[in-house]
Amino acid sequence: MLVEAILIAVWAGICSLDDVGPQMLRRPLLTGTVAGIIMGDMVQGLAISATLELMWMGIGNVGAYSAPDIIAGSIIGVALGIASNGGIAAGIALAVPVSILCQQLLIIWRSFASFLNVWASKSIVNGNYSGLTKVHYFSTPIWFLIRAIPCFMAVYFGSALVNSVLEAVPESILTGMGVASKLIPAVGICILLLMLLKGRMWFFFLLGFMLTTYLKLPIIPITFIALAFAVLYDMAFTSGSRAKPEEEKETQYSKKNNEEEEYDL
């Protein structure tokens, strides 16, 4: 089990680095399937991860809101679901509390890591680009370990460790974190509104609000409707930007002709 725990930890660390980068590996269907391959049962890993993908399809970080950690939840849920021979039920039962527990851990780290922005800003203002490099060297290993260590401990010591950690956390702390996690989305929405209301994007926000509130559409149809409007908006903007140079050329050509006619007179 030691080799599997190390490989799971390495995979969780890679996914953690991807989470602050291109975000191409963070979905449960991929993270859980690879965890199933490491645990030696790809079929069971795919079944558990597909169920988690359906359950967490609409989850994502919006603004300052930190969603439940679907990366650690999926990896640990699949790994322990296979190790305990509990199947999909055991995987989901372990994935949900682990994702919430790791969510609180990420909130604490992101709050603490806010000083990195000050460090980076001072380095840029002072022209100290080596200091900016040190910011990345300092934060990258922490981002790797912040999911690698919990996943290693959960897989190596089993589900008993996860349950003992959840029982050891005081109820007041979990309640406070839950209240904070409900307040943070309001801050994230306010930040998004500040960006949306500055330009012409407020129309798309109003459209999404109408589709969600009055038509009660789920997230997937709204996504396709938004995609269609985005394509139309891009086509109109592109055609408008192409028309401007042609109009400028015609204006310059007409001015040139007028100057030649005045010269002939």
Side-chain angles (χ1 to χ4, degrees):
M1 186 59 71
L2 178 61
V3 176
E4 288 84 353
I6 293 174
L7 292 177
I8 287 290
V10 172
W11 172 239
I14 293 173
C15 294
S16 184
L17 294 178
D18 176 79
D19 189 40
V20 292
Q23 294 188 348
M24 299 296 292
L25 304 176
R26 67 189 308 268
R27 298 308 306 176
L29 190 60
L30 179 58
T31 58
T33 302
V34 175
I37 294 173
I38 294 174
M39 297 300 294
D41 193 345
M42 185 183 69
V43 176
Q44 192 68 24
L46 184 60
I48 299 174
S49 60
T51 306
L52 294 173
E53 180 69 41
L54 292 174
M55 186 175 65
W56 286 334
M57 186 174 292
I59 286 183
N61 297 329
V62 179
Y65 170 65
S66 181
D69 187 15
I70 61 177
I71 295 177
S74 301
I75 293 175
I76 294 177
V78 169
L80 295 182
I82 294 174
S84 63
N85 295 321
I88 298 176
I92 295 175
L94 291 169
V96 174
V98 166
S99 65
I100 296 174
L101 184 63
C102 291
Q103 176 196 24
Q104 313 308 325
L105 181 63
L106 289 174
I107 289 174
I108 295 173
W109 158 241
R110 285 167 179 163
S111 301
F112 174 75
S114 59
F115 80 94
L116 295 176
N117 297 328
V118 180
W119 183 7
S121 299
K122 287 183 178 179
S123 300
I124 293 173
V125 171
N126 297 328
N128 183 16
Y129 295 104
S130 61
L132 186 63
T133 305
K134 292 178 182 178
V135 174
H136 293 282
Y137 286 150
F138 175 78
S139 60
T140 300
I142 297 178
W143 273 113
F144 182 90
L145 295 174
I146 202 167
R147 287 189 176 96
I149 292 177
C151 289
F152 172 82
M153 296 179 65
V155 174
Y156 185 73
F157 293 103
S159 58
L161 176 65
V162 177
N163 294 328
S164 61
V165 170
L166 290 174
E167 293 175 358
V169 177
E171 186 67 25
S172 58
I173 294 179
L174 293 178
T175 304
M177 289 293 185
V179 173
S181 64
K182 293 178 181 178
L183 292 175
I184 289 175
V187 179
I189 293 297
C190 291
I191 295 173
L192 291 176
L193 284 176
L194 288 175
M195 295 186 293
L196 288 172
L197 298 179
K198 286 182 178 179
R200 301 178 180 178
M201 297 293 109
W202 63 269
F203 169 78
F204 296 102
F205 173 76
L206 180 62
L207 176 64
F209 178 79
M210 297 289 290
L211 293 175
T212 305
T213 305
Y214 293 100
L215 297 182
K216 306 294 182 182
L217 292 179
I219 189 65
I220 294 180
I222 293 177
T223 302
F224 283 108
I225 294 173
L227 178 62
F229 274 92
V231 172
L232 292 175
Y233 181 84
D234 182 71
M235 292 172 61
F237 181 79
T238 304
S239 62
S241 61
R242 290 178 180 175
K244 286 182 179 179
E246 295 178 358
E247 292 177 357
E248 292 177 357
K249 289 181 181 179
E250 291 178 357
T251 304
Q252 293 176 359
Y253 181 75
S254 61
K255 287 182 179 179
K256 186 176 180 180
N257 289 338
N258 292 333
E259 291 176 357
E260 291 179 354
E261 291 176 359
E262 291 176 359
Y263 179 77
D264 292 339
L265 292 175

